[in-house]
Amino acid sequence: MKNKLTMCLSILCIGCTFAFGKTFEDHPPKKNINSKPVDVVGAYIDANLHTDVKLFDQVMSEDAFVSFCNGRKAQKQRKSDLLAFYKKMGPTELNCDSDYEVLSSSGNVVMVRVDFKFPTFLQRNFLTIEKNEQGLWQVTQVNKFNENR
């Protein structure tokens, strides 16, 4: 029973985290969010809290993926699959607080922990942010973990 509850919570968290309420045409991309890693982190948080899929699309690299535990099995989803799923899901606003900490930085790679603090659980997102050939910073990998509070 506990495994089923954990699996349902994981799916709900993933869905709520990236759901969106705006279409790509609603507003143009924000400028300069990819110029510094800290700006990418802020945009990633904003995209999740306010379900801004256009912003999410801008901060994630094209080959980015998200890993999470679905019951007893780890799963990976590509950015394109997530965007399609959240487009179908419709608008959702998260009711949580957020915080982040830069864990490590070296040259063109930064590791950051982003916490989304819900009333009953904590979702930890470990982001790998890399500088691409054009000199822009983007999230290339997200690993999500849910913890009971």
Side-chain angles (χ1 to χ4, degrees):
M1 182 66 158
K2 186 175 181 180
N3 290 337
K4 288 182 183 181
L5 180 59
T6 302
M7 183 175 73
C8 289
L9 277 174
S10 296
I11 291 170
L12 178 63
C13 294
I14 298 293
C16 290
T17 300
F18 293 107
F20 70 97
K22 301 174 181 88
T23 65
F24 288 137
E25 294 78 26
D26 285 345
H27 60 280
K30 294 184 181 183
K31 295 182 180 180
N32 300 325
I33 64 163
N34 299 93
S35 61
K36 294 185 268 183
V38 68
D39 294 337
V40 171
V41 173
Y44 175 84
I45 291 170
D46 189 48
N48 283 284
L49 292 177
H50 303 291
T51 63
D52 189 336
V53 172
K54 180 127 183 134
L55 188 56
F56 176 71
D57 185 45
Q58 191 174 349
V59 300
M60 300 291 284
S61 72
E62 289 306 311
D63 58 348
F65 64 91
V66 177
S67 296
F68 59 95
C69 185
N70 185 3
R72 295 178 188 236
K73 183 179 174 186
Q75 292 188 328
K76 290 184 182 180
Q77 289 188 309
R78 292 269 169 217
K79 173 186 169 182
S80 58
D81 296 330
L82 289 170
L83 290 176
F85 172 76
Y86 299 127
K87 185 176 181 181
K88 288 180 185 177
M89 197 167 128
T92 302
E93 190 75 20
L94 293 184
N95 180 23
C96 66
D97 294 323
S98 63
D99 194 12
Y100 75 91
E101 177 184 358
V102 176
L103 301 174
S104 187
S105 176
S106 73
N108 296 330
V109 179
V110 178
M111 178 65 89
V112 179
R113 186 189 78 224
V114 175
D115 292 339
F116 293 104
K117 300 170 187 172
F118 294 89
T120 58
F121 69 97
L122 171 69
Q123 183 184 83
R124 288 221 153 124
N125 293 243
F126 291 91
L127 311 180
T128 302
I129 303 172
E130 298 179 22
K131 193 176 199 178
N132 66 19
E133 297 82 26
Q134 293 80 31
L136 301 175
W137 291 91
Q138 291 185 309
V139 176
T140 58
Q141 183 176 345
V142 179
N143 290 289
K144 292 180 176 263
F145 300 88
N146 293 326
E147 300 175 13
N148 292 328
R149 292 180 82 182

